[in-house]
Amino acid sequence: MGEFDLIQRFFLEGQGRLAAGDEVPVGIGDDCAVINPTPGMQWLVSSDMLVEGRHFLSTVAPERLGHKALAVNLSDLAACGATPRAFTLALSLPRADEAFLAGFARGLFALAQAHGIALVGGDTTAGPLNICITVMGEVPRGQALLRSGAQLGDDIYVSGTTLGDARLALELFRGTVRLAGDAFESVRRAMELPQPRVALGQALRGLASSAIDVSDGLCGDLGHILARSGVGARLEADALPRSATLAAQDLALQRLCTLSGGDDYELVFTAPAARRVEVAAAAALAATPVTRIGRIEAEPGLRLFDAQGQVLPLALSSFDHFKS
Ligand code: ADP
Ligand code: MG
C-alpha cells in the first residue's frame, strides 16, 4: 500500500461524511484545507505530539492510541474554552500496518465525530512511530480562557473524580504497584482513554478567571496559572478528588499521583468566590463534576495543606521531559 492509498483509505474514506461541508469547503486532497471562520469568532490553534516510548507504551491498543492522540489536543482547546472546529494529522509510521491503521483511525474518528470535527489534512511519512495532531477551534472574540487571569481570593477547582489514576496506571506498568482485575482496567482506561473536558471549558467562558488542562501534574500546571497571573495559592491536598482504587493505596502514593501525576487531562480553573452557584451550574450543564480544592492568595508560590490544616512539603514537582 502506497502513501496515497493509505491516506485515501484510512484518513479520507475512514472519516465518512464529516470530511466536506459548508464549514470546510476544501479538506484532504489539495495543498491546503480551506475553512470558513464563523463571523465574530477568534481561532485557537494548538499542537501536541505523541512519541512511542515517551508518551505511550507499545502495548497500547491502536484504537486507544487514536483516541488519545486527539483527546490530548482537544484538552488544550477545552482549557481555553474553545469549540473544536477541525484538525490535522502528521504521522510518521515504521510501516503501513493495515491492522494498526484501521484501529488507529477507528479510535481517532470516533472521538472526532463525538465533537463534530473533520480531519482536514496532514502529512504521512515513513519513520519511527510519531503522531502529531494540530487542532483548531474558536471562541467569541475576547472570551478565550487563559492562564493569566487568576485574582486574589478566587476559588481553585479541578474537574473529574479520578485525578491521579493515569499516574497510578503508569506505576503499574513500571511494576512499582500491583492491582488486579477491574481496578487494573479502570486505571488503565484513565491513562489510555482520557476524556477531554470540552463541554466544561465552553460552559466556563465568561465565568472562570483562568484555566489550564492538567497534562504534566496538578501542582506544576497550577504553578503555570500562578506564575502567569502573578499570584500564589493555598491547595487542600486531601480535598483532591480520587477514585476508590487510588484511595485504597498508601497516602504517599495517593499524594504523588494526585499532586504530580500527569496525563490527567482534567481542567484546573479559578473563579471568583461570589460565583460558586454559577460554577456549579456550569459543571451540571457540562455533566462534569468539579471540586473546590483551594484559594488564590497574594503571596507568590504554592502552599499545600493536609486535612488537619498542617503544611505539607512541596517536594512533589511537575513532570519534565528533559529531567526524567
Ligand atoms: P503535499 O505534498 O502537497 O504536502 P501530500 O502529498 O503530503 O501533499 O498530501 C496529499 C493530501 O493528503 C494533502 O491534502 C494532505 O493534507 C493530505 N494528508 C497527507 N497525510 C495525511 C494524514 N495523515 N491525514 C490527513 N490528511 C493527510
Ligand atoms: Mg502541497
Side-chain angles (χ1 to χ4, degrees):
M1 185 175 31
E3 180 189 330
F4 294 103
D5 296 334
L6 186 161
I7 296 166
Q8 171 84 20
R9 182 164 149 206
F10 293 104
F11 299 123
L12 185 57
E13 290 161 10
Q15 68 176 325
R17 287 182 298 109
L18 267 180
D22 291 348
E23 298 184 336
V24 183
V26 180
I28 293 173
D30 214 305
D31 290 308
C32 290
V34 180
I35 304 174
N36 293 331
T38 309
M41 303 289 260
Q42 286 178 319
W43 274 68
L44 291 86
V45 180
S46 178
S47 296
D48 250 320
M49 182 152 61
L50 266 66
V51 176
E52 182 168 18
R54 174 50 83 173
H55 302 96
F56 60 91
L57 306 169
S58 56
T59 52
V60 65
E63 194 162 346
R64 290 187 170 193
L65 187 59
H67 171 101
K68 185 165 179 177
L70 182 57
V72 303
N73 277 278
L74 288 174
S75 181
D76 285 315
L77 288 182
C80 291
T83 305
R85 288 291 314 271
F87 68 108
T88 62
L89 168 68
L91 199 55
S92 163
L93 290 168
R95 61 195 167 278
D97 178 332
E98 298 194 18
F100 173 87
L101 282 163
F104 180 85
R106 220 172 21 249
L108 182 79
F109 291 130
L111 186 63
Q113 260 146 25
H115 291 276
I117 56 170
L119 174 62
V120 298
D123 198 19
T124 307
T125 176
L129 185 55
N130 189 329
I131 304 153
C132 183
I133 287 181
T134 298
V135 282
M136 290 149 269
E138 51 186 18
V139 297
R141 185 169 293 280
Q143 284 193 33
L145 302 177
L146 302 176
R147 300 175 178 186
S148 51
Q151 301 287 327
L152 181 61
D154 280 357
D155 292 324
I156 304 171
Y157 295 85
V158 69
S159 65
T161 56
T162 60
L163 196 70
D165 271 15
R167 176 54 184 268
L168 184 58
L170 183 62
E171 294 302 324
L172 283 166
F173 283 105
R174 284 175 172 169
T176 63
V177 181
R178 281 179 209 285
L179 276 183
D182 289 350
F184 177 84
E185 278 312 315
S186 72
V187 297
R188 183 177 195 174
R189 281 181 72 85
M191 179 171 77
E192 295 179 347
L193 289 172
Q195 300 300 321
R197 302 304 192 180
V198 172
L200 179 64
Q202 291 177 57
L204 291 172
R205 291 203 296 237
L207 178 57
S209 51
S210 70
I212 191 169
D213 67 316
V214 183
S215 51
D216 297 332
L218 177 72
C219 286
D221 287 324
L222 175 58
H224 295 309
I225 285 185
L226 303 183
R228 294 291 287 273
S229 301
V231 293
R234 168 193 176 101
L235 195 64
E236 310 299 335
D238 292 333
L240 298 174
R242 69 204 76 176
S243 67
T245 304
L246 182 56
Q249 306 300 310
D250 76 64
L251 194 56
L253 181 62
Q254 290 183 43
R255 286 178 177 155
L256 169 79
C257 291
T258 52
L259 291 167
S260 62
D263 243 11
D264 294 297
Y265 304 104
E266 295 295 350
L267 297 188
V268 172
F269 61 95
T270 58
R275 303 187 72 179
R276 283 181 191 166
V277 174
E278 289 164 87
V279 170
L285 181 71
T288 307
V290 304
T291 305
R292 193 148 47 82
I293 58 169
R295 197 175 57 227
I296 297 295
E297 298 177 333
E299 189 188 333
L302 182 61
R303 290 158 292 282
L304 292 180
F305 291 86
D306 69 10
Q308 285 72 45
Q310 300 295 310
V311 179
L312 289 171
L314 232 191
L316 309 155
S317 69
S318 164
F319 186 78
D320 183 325
H321 286 293
F322 292 99
K323 280 191 196 151
S324 43

